[in-house]
Amino acid sequence: MEQRLTARTAMWSARHPWRALACWLVLVVACLALGGLAGTRSADSVDYRVGEAGRAEEIAEQGGILDPLEEKVLISAREGERLDRAAAEAAARDTAGRMTGAPSVADVGAPVWAPDGQAVLVPLETKGDEATISDDIPALLERTAAVQKAHPDVVVAQTGHFSMGQGVSESMGEDLATAERITLPLTLLILMVVFGAVVAAGVPVLLALSAVAAAMGLSQLFSHVFPSVGANNSLILLMGMAVGVDYSLLFIKRVREERARSGHHLDQETAVRIAAATAGRTVVVSGFAVMVSLAALFVVGDVVFSSLAISSISVVAIVVGASLTVLPALLVKLGRALDRPRLPLLGRLADRAGGDGSPGRTWQRLLGPVLRRPVAALVAGLALIGALALPALGIELSSTEVSTLPKVTAVQARDRMVEHFPSERSEYLVAVRTDEAHRDRLPQAMQDLVRSAEQQPLLRVPDGHGLDAARITTSSDGLTGTVLLHAPHRIDSDEAQDALRLLRGEVVPDTVGKLPGTEAAVSGDVARNADVLDHQLSALPWVVGAVLLLSLVVMVAAFRSVPVAVVSTVLNVASAAGALGMLVLVFQSDWVQRQLDYDADGFIVSRVPLFLFVILFGLSTDYNVFMISRVKEAMEQGRSTTAALLEGIGRSASVVTGGAVVMVSVFVSFMFTNLLEMKQLGFGLCVAVILDVVIVRILILPAALKLLAPVLWWPSRTAARSAAGQDPVTGAPVRRAAAAQPGR
């Protein structure tokens, strides 16, 4: 049923190519237009709330005393110089004058001098919702730039939540453009080598880019349900290019294979029909597997995972649809022009690599020893993967914070600010809510909290380190209060974490926590990062379990074989483990810092392992489906198990290898972005794909399938009959085709 539907859809497009192409163009334009009209809803601080930190902010917000997010203008000396106090005071006055009455600025605070006398800070209290403030930030930055221009003797820079967000967004936009400049030419070059023809190389890129454009439009629409977190377009490009080129490559190779096998007597429409019934079904199953894996991210219940999951799922769904509609239409309209202009040397290489679908001598030589000694191959492959995975046991995770952001102007200003104002390095917000009966005791309880905190070395701000150590705020009804504490510890330091544990475990319970009918919670930079990490770690087993279960279900449904599903799932886990080990080895040490242009902070960003596991699982399942589909097809034609493995894996190996090289080229480009999270994800996926293709799919997979041959297709009676040399429909004996022999 599924196969017939796939073929029917592709054939309609092949017989009505102009209609199919017009529909596709309308879809892409409509997605972009609707997305542009709807606009993008970016996630705000409320969307990011999790755990106790989120509860503290909710308490303060409901009491009407949650401090608005501040922007700050830092005035400091030029590098290597001493600050001219008169020039700094003049710049501070100019800043206050220009910012008073500016959009989204509620109040300009009095200038605050740094303890070392080498910087002055002008606080800006913002007003309005976060989306409006974000829109007004460029205007504020222009005023800051005007102050800098008027006072060239000092350095004037703005920092804060919104200005850093603006700078990071612009940096990511530039990174995306850089990734495109690297990826597109490299992908075209690789596809020219694979196909040996210019037009055939251009079709997958054209399809992938149009799918990416449509998905970016849809992402804007989806952002009103799952708010955008800024990295959506980057991930859409990464996933769209990876699967778009992969699926097109699979489909086009099958069309060319069928025509070459017939001596080019087969017409293009018939070749497309055969490809739709075989490769088309594989694309549908693979795409569904990728989407199912990505859907497991919703289990986390985190705005970042949900937003990026829906964006990735949408681009994969569009690519699958395009592979069954616009791709067949293009192939029919192009006809023989698909293989033109022919590149002489590359064309001959492409033919030698199995342009007619034959396994090719290279793959016979590689697979022959594996199939002759499957136990040795399996042990060697698993041992190698295990050795690569070992460093993962020492993984150190950290939530995203300022140190992981690109060093844009606002982030650099923040670094200088905490250097001059140590008390600004980390803060802790204690929010307290009591009942009517104990309202009068709340102020004293908060005073007790401050005194207790000041007695703790970890929570005490030494004299001369900057702003006031504590600030108490009480709501108008007297039922809610907040205590803002500062500490001179870096957000990601052990001291900051120890201070948080001390505050939550002792100081708060022993003071405001003793007040009956009172709810207290701790937030702040350190608390938010800690709670996000705890939230992600608590969700990790559920996500992994969901991915494993869903992957098993998809593979069982696709092949009616439990052993095949189990082997596929186990090998996907092996690939992910090996990639994670390499990721830890590289990013938790400093030996490749200079090559990758990053500062090794000794940790992996906490979101990366989950994304790596889920995306890799989907893409690895792609390769499993590609290869096992050809193996099963060969067995249904009467091949023996060994011959079917040699033929099926050999025929699909060139497609898998070509797709893997394209994926690696896409992932490599993300290693050169300025966002540590994207560097780590790009590197991990790049290594994972290489391990998956070189070790798992060519060494471990054929060995495992060969050893499981007697029960490989259990409980599928159809596959069992095929393996036994029976027609899968009638059960009658079939004549076995001559099997290709290793090395011959």
Side-chain angles (χ1 to χ4, degrees), residues 268-317:
Q268 190 80 342
E269 188 175 309
T270 303
V272 168
R273 178 178 58 79
I274 296 172
T278 52
R281 179 183 180 276
T282 301
V283 165
V284 171
V285 174
S286 300
F288 186 71
V290 175
M291 289 186 281
V292 162
S293 293
L294 290 167
L297 290 173
F298 289 113
V299 174
V300 182
D302 179 280
V303 63
V304 175
F305 288 100
S306 298
S307 179
L308 296 181
I310 194 65
S311 294
S312 302
I313 290 171
S314 65
V315 74
V316 175

Side-chain angles (χ1 to χ4, degrees), residues 447-462 469-470 485-486 502-503 506-507 510-511:
Q447 290 288 350
D448 292 343
L449 188 152
V450 171
R451 281 193 293 271
S452 177
E454 289 175 343
Q455 292 172 6
Q456 304 291 338
L458 282 170
L459 293 169
R460 185 169 58 242
V461 177
L485 303 171
H486 293 271
L502 178 64
L503 193 59
E506 296 181 25
V507 176
D510 292 344
T511 54

Side-chain angles (χ1 to χ4, degrees), residues 196-207:
V198 175
V199 174
V203 168
V205 175
L206 180 63
L207 182 140

Side-chain angles (χ1 to χ4, degrees), residues 404-630:
T404 69
L405 297 178
K407 294 301 180 182
V408 296
T409 302
V411 174
Q412 292 175 353
R414 198 262 178 192
D415 291 342
R416 292 197 301 275
M417 180 184 73
V418 298
E419 180 182 346
H420 293 296
F421 295 85
S423 63
E424 289 290 284
R425 289 177 182 169
S426 58
E427 65 177 28
Y428 304 87
L429 178 70
V430 182
V432 188
R433 178 166 54 201
T434 190
D435 54 24
E436 290 283 353
H438 302 91
R439 174 169 50 185
D440 295 339
R441 296 174 58 186
L442 181 59
Q444 183 60 51
M446 291 192 292
Q447 290 288 350
D448 292 343
L449 188 152
V450 171
R451 281 193 293 271
S452 177
E454 289 175 343
Q455 292 172 6
Q456 304 291 338
L458 282 170
L459 293 169
R460 185 169 58 242
V461 177
D463 293 339
H465 271 64
L467 304 180
D468 294 338
R471 186 174 78 237
I472 296 176
T473 307
T474 306
S475 64
S476 57
D477 61 7
L479 296 175
T480 307
T482 60
V483 179
L484 182 64
L485 303 171
H486 293 271
H489 312 304
R490 283 181 48 189
I491 294 174
D492 59 346
S493 66
D494 291 338
E495 292 84 359
Q497 297 299 322
D498 291 340
L500 176 63
R501 283 189 287 269
L502 178 64
L503 193 59
R504 285 179 168 176
E506 296 181 25
V507 176
V508 170
D510 292 344
T511 54
V512 293
K514 287 185 175 180
L515 195 62
T518 298
E519 178 185 6
V522 180
S523 182
D525 297 334
V526 179
R528 276 192 292 269
N529 289 339
D531 288 352
V532 166
L533 180 57
D534 289 344
H535 179 72
Q536 291 170 2
L537 290 177
S538 66
L540 181 61
W542 295 100
V543 175
V544 171
V547 171
L548 294 178
L549 178 61
L550 293 172
S551 175
L552 278 168
V553 170
V554 169
M555 293 301 288
V556 169
F559 295 105
R560 306 293 192 270
S561 167
V562 172
V564 165
V566 172
V567 167
S568 173
T569 303
V570 170
L571 294 188
N572 289 350
V573 172
S575 297
L580 190 59
M582 291 296 293
L583 185 69
V584 170
L585 183 65
V586 170
F587 283 89
Q588 285 187 201
S589 60
D590 58 1
W591 62 280
V592 290
Q593 286 185 69
R594 290 181 294 276
Q595 285 73 15
L596 294 181
D597 187 27
Y598 78 100
D599 294 325
D601 291 313
F603 64 84
I604 305 299
V605 177
S606 59
R607 286 194 288 261
V608 170
L610 259 181
F611 273 122
L612 179 65
F613 178 77
V614 169
I615 294 174
L616 174 62
F617 223 87
L619 298 180
S620 296
T621 302
D622 261 6
Y623 293 151
N624 282 330
V625 173
F626 290 0
M627 289 185 162
I628 296 173
S629 292
R630 295 307 298 261

